[in-house]
């Protein structure tokens, strides 16, 4: 069989949910609503973090980074998905597939690292409250956030180059709704054992090193909280960390399941719905988790949005 490089293709066909046409219209409406809520929620977090001086702290600096990241992440995937769900054309150009894989994987990898950095921030806030502003000074926060983005996109560049160097032998149908590493590996016409081993090794580093940092941080945080004599103080400390723990559990749980579980242990439909969860649902509910459980954010919303409304 003649080996054709992916660059000879006009593009790829994203099969998505085309085997369930009755589901496509329902998914289109649901995902459109989710995308709108994602834009509104994350834009609100970013706006509040900029406008309210009370939120000019390391915690909200990292939170606004996370919201911007989620905003970009879902935008790199959902508009193309909505176009594919709305008509018979399921194609994506070769260049569009490269960009989508690079950007979405870079943003996802960055979020893995950033959530670990946020756990260190919570550790400093709870376990070193008197030295918090000295430890988490703006330059260090900017350095850690920048390092998260650089490492995340460096990993994405490596994976993207390795994927698109593989010969595809004329195969251009992806049984997925986005250009993602696992479905791209399935259309290669060469032995992908080395690629799978490399992807597993890198995924372990990108996922489990932050998880180790989070585990260490929250082990120390729980010990510190249990030593607080005031019940109100313990509730405040748990409330400060609870939102981050919920986000961490949702994100890492689905990411580990998607990238580290053997492919033969779950169906392609399972992979698609898992991908929907961490590419669409999690970016939408993150702002809800932080705003519903956070008095500072709710107070900032009242000051920033309802102050102008009340003055009219």
């Amino acid at each position: 069989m003649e080996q054709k490089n992916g660059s000879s293709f006009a593009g790829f066909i994203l099969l998505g949910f085309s085997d369930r046409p009755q589901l496509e219209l329902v998914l289109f409406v649901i995902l459109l609503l989710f995308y709108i809520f994602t834009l509104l929620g994350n834009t609100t977090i970013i706006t509040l973090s900029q406008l309210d001086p009370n939120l000019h702290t390391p915690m909200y600096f990292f939170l606004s980074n996370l919201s911007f990241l989620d905003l970009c992440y879902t935008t790199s995937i959902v508009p193309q998905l909505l176009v594919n769900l709305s008509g018979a054309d399921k194609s994506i150009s070769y260049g569009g597939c490269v960009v989508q894989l690079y950007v979405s994987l870079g943003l996802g990898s960055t979020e893995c690292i950033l959530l670990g950095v946020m756990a260190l921030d919570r550790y400093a806030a709870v376990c070193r409250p008197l030295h918090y502003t000295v430890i988490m000074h703006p330059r260090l926060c900017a350095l850690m956030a920048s390092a998260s983005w650089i490492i995340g996109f460096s990993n994405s560049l490596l994976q993207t180059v390795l994927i698109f160097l593989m010969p595809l032998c004329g195969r251009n149908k992806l049984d997925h709704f986005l250009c993602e590493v696992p479905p791209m590996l399935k259309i290669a016409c060469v032995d992908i054992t080395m690629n799978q081993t490399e992807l597993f090794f890198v995924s372990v580093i990108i996922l489990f090193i932050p998880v180790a940092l989070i585990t260490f941080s929250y082990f120390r945080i729980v010990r510190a909280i249990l030593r607080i004599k005031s019940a109100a103080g313990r509730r405040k400390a748990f409330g400060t960390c609870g939102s981050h723990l919920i986000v961490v559990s949702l994100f890492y749980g689905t990411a580990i399941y998607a990238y580290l579980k053997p492919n033969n242990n779950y169906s392609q439909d399972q992979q698609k719905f898992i991908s929907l969860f961490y590419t669409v649902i999690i970016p939408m509910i993150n702002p809800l988790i932080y705003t519903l459980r956070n008095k500072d954010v709710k107070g900032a919303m009242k000051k920033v949005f309802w102050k102008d409304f009340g003055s009219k």
Side-chain angles (χ1 to χ4, degrees):
M1 182 182 294
E2 181 185 357
Q3 291 191 356
K4 297 181 182 179
N5 189 282
S7 60
S8 65
F9 296 161
F12 294 89
I13 306 298
L14 298 174
L15 298 178
F17 303 94
S18 55
D19 58 333
R20 300 180 179 182
Q22 72 282 1
L23 185 62
E24 289 192 321
L25 179 58
V26 176
L27 276 176
F28 177 85
V29 174
I30 293 174
L31 293 178
L32 179 60
L33 291 174
F34 281 8
Y35 183 52
I36 292 171
F37 285 130
T38 300
L39 295 179
L40 291 174
N42 286 290
T43 302
T44 299
I45 295 289
I46 295 169
T47 303
L48 292 175
S49 297
Q50 294 297 317
L51 295 181
D52 190 341
N54 292 329
L55 301 185
H56 292 174
T57 63
M59 175 181 175
Y60 294 103
F61 168 77
F62 291 122
L63 179 56
S64 62
N65 261 268
L66 182 65
S67 293
F68 178 71
L69 194 153
D70 280 341
L71 199 62
C72 296
Y73 186 46
T74 192
T75 299
S76 71
I77 296 166
V78 174
Q80 178 68 48
L81 175 56
L82 292 174
V83 169
N84 291 352
L85 288 173
S86 64
D89 184 12
K90 311 292 184 186
S91 65
I92 183 173
S93 68
Y94 178 81
C97 190
V98 173
V99 171
Q100 186 181 69
L101 176 62
Y102 173 68
V103 173
S104 62
L105 182 58
L107 292 167
S109 300
T110 301
E111 183 157 352
C112 287
I113 301 165
L114 189 62
L115 288 171
V117 170
M118 292 173 73
L120 291 177
D121 171 66
R122 294 299 82 210
Y123 163 76
V126 175
C127 299
R128 298 287 187 271
L130 298 179
H131 302 93
Y132 177 61
T133 54
V134 176
I135 296 171
M136 301 301 295
H137 56 84
R139 185 179 299 175
L140 179 61
C141 292
L143 179 63
M144 291 194 294
S146 300
S148 300
W149 286 85
I150 292 170
I151 295 170
F153 275 90
S154 297
N155 170 57
S156 179
L157 179 62
L158 171 65
Q159 303 306 325
T160 302
V161 169
L162 291 177
I163 285 293
F164 285 98
L165 282 177
M166 294 188 308
L168 304 178
C169 302
R171 302 174 186 176
N172 69 337
K173 292 184 178 180
L174 289 174
D175 191 11
H176 212 293
F177 61 83
L178 78 153
C179 294
E180 197 174 29
V181 173
M184 292 295 296
L185 287 175
K186 290 183 179 179
I187 63 172
C189 60
V190 292
D191 184 12
I192 60 171
T193 303
M194 288 299 295
N195 296 79
Q196 289 177 319
T197 303
E198 181 272 337
L199 177 64
F200 182 83
F201 178 73
V202 172
S203 298
V204 167
I205 294 175
I206 294 293
L207 288 168
F208 281 110
I209 289 181
V211 167
L213 285 175
I214 292 166
T215 303
F216 166 79
S217 298
Y218 276 99
F219 174 75
R220 300 295 297 271
I221 287 170
V222 169
R223 286 182 58 187
I225 291 175
L226 292 177
R227 287 198 292 264
I228 298 175
K229 296 180 180 180
S230 165
R234 286 196 297 269
R235 282 197 301 271
K236 182 178 179 181
F238 276 120
T240 301
C241 303
S243 300
H244 180 253
L245 271 179
I246 294 172
V247 171
V248 162
S249 301
L250 290 173
F251 182 81
Y252 284 109
T254 52
I256 290 171
Y257 189 87
Y259 277 86
L260 297 182
K261 188 174 182 181
N263 289 333
N264 56 2
N265 283 9
Y266 61 100
S267 69
Q268 188 62 25
D269 283 343
Q270 282 180 298
Q271 185 178 9
K272 292 175 189 176
F273 284 104
I274 290 166
S275 297
L276 271 181
F277 191 80
Y278 64 75
T279 59
V280 180
I281 297 176
I282 290 180
M284 181 196 68
I285 63 177
N286 279 355
L288 293 176
I289 293 171
Y290 280 107
T291 54
L292 291 177
R293 296 177 54 87
N294 193 301
K295 292 181 180 179
D296 292 336
V297 174
K298 288 188 285 187
M301 289 179 67
K302 291 179 182 179
K303 284 196 296 183
V304 172
F305 294 124
W306 288 319
K307 179 181 68 174
D308 294 336
F309 178 78
S311 64
K312 293 181 180 180

